[in-house]
Amino acid sequence: MTEPSSPTAPTAARVFSGVQPSGALHLGNYLGALVKFVALQHEMECLYCVVDLHAITAWQDPKNLAAQTREIAAAYFAAGVDPAKAIVFAQSAVPEHAELAWIFNCVARLGWLDRMTQFKEKTGKHKERASVGLYTYPVLQAADILLYKATHVPVGEDQKQHLELTRDIAAKFNHDFDAPGFFPLTEALIEGPGARIMSLRDATAKMSKSDPSDQSRINLTDDADTIANKIRRAKTDPLPLPDTVEELKGRPEADNLLGIYAALAGETKAAVLARFAGQGFGQAFKPALADLLVERLSPVSAEMRRLMADPAEIDRILAAGAERARALAAPILAETKRIVGFTGG
Ligand code: TYM
């Protein structure tokens, strides 16, 4: 057993989360993840990773990957993540992630991965053409989190199943190697109206980078006119805004737009409804929502542009973050290897 004072003892509270550099960020990423990242950095020790190893589970053009990685880092900083407080780094710069993932590949069961809905959604009928990496993707995600013994992971609702798998891997490792409590049973931080932002064209599908229709999402880098246009054209039903949240049931488009407004304004849906109930969507609500989006997102995209103009500075911050991350990861991986029975240093 580890001593309480050892660097590998259970962490009091530590946050880990990541975003893939696989395309432009959208409002779902912003509300489901980035806004929470910013709030948590004042409360706990936080590590925010740009998960480039995850990104290559689907083809990424090597000519673009570095720029995409910097863009995600720029989005973190522009949203308010302070690299002096939180540790921000690229996953591939900390090789311990891949090493722990291998050990976890030998802990996780095929049956567990077969149940992962995101793999099924991404591959559809063409499972045999997917990379092996895409299949074991959630195992690498568990390694990301447990490499730091992170206790809390802020994510959108689509990551819930991956977080449950992370707990299963931790519990099985602790049990199989007779190391009770070595890896924590990490808690997902999902709650809030921003946890599941849906497509603006089809409120039964989540807002996603991979949706072929750009009209389905608000990108962090969209300008004011584009945002206003997308919100004007966002699908709704013909009824006016209702008086109560209960009446949003069975009205997924209305519910989604209300959720976006509430998440951006930091209000409840009920409070938003109190102002707009009885009116048609196009009357006052949609223009107010577009204004709110522009007000919140345009400083973020302006700051992203400013930061992206100096890629060397982003690389410097990421390299410094990777060094801090490695200092935390190395002793935990070394202890894990000792527990597994490896004799090498
Ligand atoms: P990724 O890059 O797909 O998404 C990044 C974050 O955005 C959230 N998100 C959403 N939230 C609300 N509504 C939406 N429509 C929406 N779409 C995306 C995601 O839940 C996520 O929080 N597997 C992760 C990356 C990852 C990770 C990790 C996360 C790798 N290792 C360790 C946490 C901990 C992913 O694909 O994120």
Side-chain angles (χ1 to χ4, degrees):
M1 287 297 297
T2 48
E3 296 296 318
S5 59
S6 106
T8 60
T11 46
R14 187 178 276 168
V15 170
F16 183 96
S17 198
V19 175
Q20 295 191 73
S22 55
L25 284 185
H26 54 71
L27 184 66
N29 303 127
Y30 179 71
L31 292 174
L34 267 54
V35 168
K36 293 182 200 158
F37 292 4
V38 176
L40 285 164
Q41 68 183 341
H42 305 295
E43 295 167 27
M44 299 180 202
E45 183 183 24
C46 294
L47 292 112
Y48 297 132
C49 188
V50 184
V51 291
D52 48 1
L53 299 178
H54 278 105
I56 64 161
T57 57
W59 171 251
Q60 303 297 326
D61 188 334
K63 289 197 287 295
N64 301 335
L65 186 58
Q68 288 168 197
T69 300
R70 292 185 194 112
E71 189 170 335
I72 302 297
Y76 286 176
F77 305 140
V81 170
D82 175 359
K85 275 208 171 83
I87 301 177
V88 179
F89 66 105
Q91 190 184 27
S92 61
V94 180
E96 285 83 355
H97 286 250
E99 210 176 335
L100 185 60
W102 179 257
I103 295 175
F104 285 171
N105 271 332
C106 303
V107 173
R109 305 290 93 182
L110 270 182
W112 299 357
L113 290 183
D114 280 341
R115 282 196 288 276
M116 294 294 115
T117 53
Q118 206 157 77
F119 178 79
K120 290 183 203 164
E121 280 160 18
K122 281 193 179 163
T123 55
K125 291 195 191 85
H126 302 293
K127 181 170 122 164
E128 64 289 346
R129 287 190 215 156
S131 72
V132 175
L134 189 66
Y135 188 68
T136 63
Y137 176 114
V139 177
L140 177 60
Q141 183 163 347
D144 295 340
I145 296 164
L146 296 174
L147 183 58
Y148 304 95
K149 295 191 172 184
T151 52
H152 297 82
V153 176
V155 276
E157 200 173 282
D158 60 343
Q159 297 301 310
K160 193 168 175 221
Q161 200 184 30
H162 291 168
L163 266 294
E164 283 162 8
L165 184 91
T166 301
R167 292 162 69 95
D168 289 344
I169 290 175
K172 186 163 166 57
F173 181 96
N174 293 350
H175 173 267
D176 288 359
F177 293 100
D178 195 19
F182 180 69
F183 285 121
L185 300 184
T186 308
E187 201 185 311
L189 300 175
I190 295 181
E191 66 290 333
R196 192 165 170 76
I197 304 298
M198 309 309 280
S199 155
L200 300 178
R201 307 301 306 157
D202 170 10
T204 62
K206 70 171 182 179
M207 188 177 282
S208 155
K209 291 173 206 171
S210 52
D211 192 315
S213 164
D214 194 56
Q215 293 293 321
S216 70
R217 65 185 158 259
I218 304 283
N219 301 305
L220 277 196
T221 49
D222 282 346
D223 62 25
D225 285 347
T226 308
I227 292 176
N229 197 25
K230 285 179 179 176
I231 292 299
R232 204 169 25 247
R233 296 185 53 194
K235 211 173 150 207
T236 44
D237 56 41
L239 301 174
L241 279 97
D243 291 308
T244 64
V245 175
E246 288 69 47
E247 291 168 90
L248 289 169
K249 280 208 186 83
R251 298 180 63 187
E253 291 87 9
D255 192 33
N256 187 38
L257 294 184
L258 253 300
I260 292 173
Y261 194 110
L264 283 169
E267 292 180 89
T268 61
K269 286 183 198 171
V272 181
L273 282 178
R275 286 207 297 287
F276 295 101
Q279 304 180 20
F281 273 89
Q283 230 176 319
F285 178 79
K286 277 188 168 183
L289 176 58
D291 286 350
L292 187 56
L293 278 161
V294 171
E295 189 189 308
R296 282 295 296 273
L297 297 187
S298 57
V300 177
S301 63
E303 180 63 1
M304 275 176 75
R305 272 196 301 280
R306 192 188 70 77
L307 293 166
M308 290 290 286
D310 190 355
E313 174 64 4
I314 298 179
D315 288 351
R316 196 194 57 71
I317 298 173
L318 288 176
E323 209 172 304
R324 289 167 70 195
R326 283 198 86 173
L328 298 175
I332 296 176
L333 181 67
E335 181 67 2
T336 307
K337 288 166 78 173
R338 193 195 62 72
I339 290 171
V340 170
F342 295 146
T343 54

